[in-house]
Amino acid sequence: MAESAVPAPQSQAVIETQYLVILSIAACHLINDVMQSVLSASYPLMQQEFGLSFSQIGLMTLAFMGTASILQPLVGMVTDRHPFAQSLTLGMGSTLLGLMMLAQATSYPFLLLGAALIGIGSAVFHPEASRVARAAAGRKFGTAQSFFQVGGNLGHAVGPLLVAFIVAPSGRGAIVWFALFALVGMAILSQVGRWHARHRKSGRKSVAIPPHDLTRRRVVLTIGLLAFLVFTKNIYSASLGSYYTFFLIDRFQLTTQEAQMMLFLFLAASAAGGVFGGPIGDRIGTRAVIWVSILGVLPFTLALPYANLFWTGALTVAIGLVMSSAFPAILVFAQELVPGRVGLIAGLFFGLSFG
């Protein structure tokens, strides 16, 4: 696995790094993932209200993650060929409808539909948002993707905390308040979409990545290996995110709020890992970060069932830091392997993050 493509020569047509656009898309990633995390963080409330089994909770996760996982590469492939500037706004609108459905559902099928609508919103958001981040990156692809990814990780971390203090005391109907986040996100994304449309018409580009000399077979094998690593890593993350609160409630007799605070620690550590992964990769190499990220959680995971409450928190923080450190590097490296298919690659890897 090569470390990276050779740096591109300077070009007068290259845009400077557009930090305002990158920060805007990172903020919308935060909003999008806050709304996503509301779903899993609200599972204990839904279980109590509707008498759901763990299998039914798993089906809700499947409805959300399945739609997001399957649709993301398809959305990325379509928008690579037929860009649509306001697709981000429409995707956020689907998430808004999903939240309203979760807040007002009167039966389990409506909960499933709400989860699926949130998944569709994510399927539209991630490939196109990653494309915007790369378009605004100038010469700093890794920095742009790290900012973008950290926004999402922070959203995952903050979501359960907001549920603990807003939804848990007031009941499931309070989920509707998160629709305000969606409206703010739609307003920002509308402006981002206009910038991206102007950027495409201007003909100015980020630094071009020179063609690599890898064979098609080697590229496919490398992409497959990276995809497998992301897939297995996120099976672990999804399982911990869905059932960690139940484990804490059963094992340590915590309240729902206390369990959600513990989940916040894990998710906040995951957000921090995205920040540190890039600089560490610059020092010790991309491959080292990827392998440490995938294999480094093993000792912490093996110790987890035997830990008391304090060490359970400490171990899950370590797991979050280590696991999340490699994703921006994996994504940038994969996009360099398949130039011109930014949406497809982003959709594939973000889709695997869900699926």
Side-chain angles (χ1 to χ4, degrees):
M1 192 187 302
E3 286 293 332
S4 179
V6 178
Q10 303 287 334
S11 169
Q12 295 299 318
V14 172
I15 66 168
E16 296 299 323
T17 304
Q18 302 294 306
Y19 285 104
L20 181 60
V21 175
I22 293 170
L23 291 175
S24 296
I25 207 70
C28 290
H29 198 185
L30 185 152
I31 291 170
N32 182 79
D33 286 21
V34 161
M35 294 185 295
Q36 288 174 186
S37 65
V38 166
L39 176 63
S40 59
S42 299
Y43 282 162
L45 297 174
M46 297 176 187
Q47 183 193 41
Q48 294 171 10
E49 182 175 350
F50 291 92
L52 302 181
S53 66
F54 286 121
S55 296
Q56 288 174 309
I57 291 171
L59 285 175
M60 288 182 64
T61 301
L62 179 63
F64 162 58
M65 293 188 173
T67 52
S69 176
I70 293 170
L71 292 180
Q72 282 196 51
L74 298 177
V75 170
M77 184 167 56
V78 170
T79 54
D80 279 337
R81 298 179 181 274
H82 307 286
F84 177 46
Q86 293 303 324
S87 59
L88 286 168
T89 308
L90 293 178
M92 189 71 74
S94 176
T95 302
L96 170 63
L97 292 176
L99 285 174
M100 299 292 288
M101 188 72 69
L102 290 179
Q104 303 299 323
T106 56
S107 63
Y108 179 66
F110 287 104
L111 293 177
L112 281 178
L113 179 59
L117 285 170
I118 294 174
I120 291 170
S122 292
V124 175
F125 176 81
H126 286 98
E128 191 64 13
S130 182
R131 184 201 312 282
V132 171
R134 189 172 180 86
R139 298 170 173 82
K140 299 179 179 179
F141 297 120
T143 298
Q145 291 297 336
S146 290
F147 273 111
F148 175 63
Q149 185 63 24
V150 167
N153 289 343
L154 286 173
H156 273 297
V158 171
L161 196 63
L162 294 176
V163 169
F165 290 100
I166 297 175
V167 180
S170 304
R172 180 175 55 91
I175 291 175
V176 74
W177 289 105
F178 287 87
L180 296 175
F181 288 100
L183 292 173
V184 171
M186 291 174 72
I188 297 173
L189 291 173
S190 177
Q191 297 302 314
V192 169
R194 291 191 180 98
W195 175 87
H196 198 202
R198 292 194 301 270
H199 165 75
R200 287 199 304 270
K201 290 179 180 178
S202 72
R204 303 179 73 194
K205 300 179 180 179
S206 302
V207 173
I209 301 299
H212 52 70
D213 58 357
L214 300 177
T215 64
R216 181 182 179 86
R217 181 175 179 272
R218 182 69 179 274
V219 169
V220 171
L221 287 175
T222 304
I223 292 290
L225 174 60
L226 293 173
F228 177 75
L229 293 177
V230 171
F231 182 65
T232 54
K233 181 170 75 75
N234 285 288
I235 287 176
Y236 185 104
S237 297
S239 300
L240 197 59
S242 293
Y243 296 109
Y244 184 50
T245 53
F246 295 110
F247 167 76
L248 293 169
I249 291 169
D250 179 69
R251 176 75 179 273
F252 300 109
Q253 291 75 53
L254 300 186
T255 65
T256 298
Q257 280 189 328
E258 290 170 339
Q260 287 168 340
M261 291 291 292
M262 292 285 287
L263 179 61
F264 167 74
L265 291 177
F266 165 68
L267 296 174
S270 296
V275 176
F276 297 127
I280 293 173
D282 291 338
R283 291 179 176 276
I284 68 174
T286 302
R287 285 181 294 183
V289 172
I290 292 172
W291 285 113
V292 169
S293 175
I294 301 300
L295 300 178
V297 299
L298 182 60
F300 305 120
T301 302
L302 293 176
L304 197 57
Y306 307 100
N308 60 22
L309 180 60
F310 171 80
W311 284 109
T312 295
L315 290 170
T316 50
V317 165
I319 290 169
L321 284 169
V322 173
M323 275 209 312
S324 64
S325 61
F327 187 79
I330 290 174
L331 184 62
V332 171
F333 181 71
Q335 288 174 340
E336 292 180 359
L337 287 174
V338 192
R341 294 291 183 266
V342 174
L344 174 61
I345 294 299
L348 175 64
F349 281 87
F350 278 108
L352 289 169
S353 297
F354 286 91

